Amino acid sequence: QKEVEQDPGPLSVPEGAIVSLNCTYSNSAFQYFMWYRQYSRKGPELLMYTYSSGNKEDGRFTAQVDKSSKYISLFIRDSQPSDSATYLCAMSPNAGGTSYGKLTFGQGTILTVHP
Amino acid sequence: NAGVTQTPKFRVLKTGQSMTLLCAQDMNHEYMYWYRQDPGMGLRLIHYSVGEGTTAKGEVPDGYNVSRLKKQNFLLGLESAAPSQTSVYFCATREGITYEQYFGPGTRLTVT
């Protein structure tokens, strides 16, 4: 079983829809939770990060972490065609220390927002 | 600032050939990482470095070697390429006091 599970999709939605992307994990040591966005044939870029449990909002994007359920989510409101990309969740026990900031990634979800 | 650059962008190898992928960064970051990305597998860590002159194994190190002789460069070597190493390879860097990793544009490698 993978430490981090993410539904690979693909997910196709109409412009303006609310998108929900999710990951589950098994390692209770994970404390830092991130979402990376990767456009086609590009490197991933950090989109959102959350420490421990709770919500974080940035414009149209909201990240949620439920450590009790080992479940994280990314919501995209009023989705736009420019949001079409692969979204990768990533997790780490801590930012430094003995984990050396290593990230464990989910498989990535391919999202297409059509006009 | 170029950020993180990777050389080459594309490469086709025959089974058994060797090659070296170069990652260069101009951000003075301590930590550097090599990942491979395969369909349905996400990003998997191959090797990483916590500073100049250091290297360590990641999740999938077999068949690869690395070196970090200079702080700004992290090299990934394939001594005898196999078709299973066909992948997209990404280099990433991290400052050390923050969580964010900065990724390069990737190298697409095909081994026939």
Side-chain angles (χ1 to χ4, degrees):
Chain A
Q1 183 186 1
K2 294 181 184 294
E3 271 191 300
V4 180
E5 296 278 0
Q6 182 177 5
D7 186 343
L11 189 59
S12 182
V13 302
E15 184 175 353
I18 296 174
V19 176
S20 173
L21 305 169
N22 312 294
C23 288
T24 59
Y25 64 95
S26 58
N27 187 346
S28 58
F30 288 143
Q31 295 283 350
Y32 289 83
F33 303 91
M34 284 145 268
W35 287 94
Y36 280 79
R37 180 172 60 194
Q38 184 178 22
Y39 290 115
S40 181
R41 296 185 174 263
K42 301 288 187 183
E45 294 178 310
L46 183 66
L47 183 63
M48 298 277 291
Y49 120 88
T50 310
Y51 171 69
S52 194
S53 285
N55 293 358
K56 188 170 186 177
E57 189 173 321
D58 184 2
R60 296 183 294 110
F61 298 88
T62 300
Q64 288 186 350
V65 174
D66 181 349
K67 290 189 68 181
S68 62
S69 301
K70 295 189 177 65
Y71 188 86
I72 72 170
S73 301
L74 177 71
F75 296 96
I76 307 174
R77 291 184 300 280
D78 188 25
S79 56
Q80 302 294 310
S82 58
D83 295 328
S84 298
T86 296
Y87 290 81
L88 298 141
C89 63
M91 309 176 188
S92 177
N94 51 47
T98 56
S99 77
Y100 302 114
K102 289 182 290 182
L103 298 177
T104 301
F105 284 85
Q107 296 94 316
T109 299
I110 300 170
L111 172 67
T112 301
V113 182
H114 51 85
Chain B
N1 274 356
V4 182
T5 59
Q6 293 184 233
T7 309
K9 290 184 170 52
F10 305 93
R11 186 74 185 267
V12 178
L13 286 179
K14 294 187 186 304
T15 298
Q17 287 184 321
S18 64
M19 77 163 294
T20 299
L21 284 68
L22 169 65
C23 176
Q25 54 117 346
D26 61 4
M27 297 180 286
N28 202 36
H29 286 177
E30 289 293 337
Y31 294 73
M32 297 187 76
Y33 309 84
W34 274 110
Y35 294 91
R36 60 178 289 173
Q37 186 174 35
D38 303 291
M41 301 292 289
L43 286 156
R44 292 182 292 169
L45 183 64
I46 304 172
H47 286 281
Y48 64 100
S49 168
V50 302
E52 181 179 308
T54 75
T55 63
K57 293 180 180 180
E59 179 187 355
V60 288
D62 293 343
Y64 305 95
N65 56 74
V66 287
S67 65
R68 187 142 178 230
L69 299 179
K70 294 182 179 180
K71 185 177 183 179
Q72 63 267 35
N73 295 338
F74 195 26
L75 280 65
L76 178 71
L78 286 74
E79 291 183 346
S80 179
S84 61
Q85 294 177 305
T86 293
S87 188
V88 182
Y89 291 86
F90 287 100
C91 174
T93 71
R94 188 173 74 90
E95 186 176 8
I97 56 175
T98 66
Y99 49 86
E100 183 172 2
Q101 292 188 15
Y102 297 83
F103 284 82
T107 294
R108 292 182 173 272
L109 175 66
T110 301
V111 182
T112 62

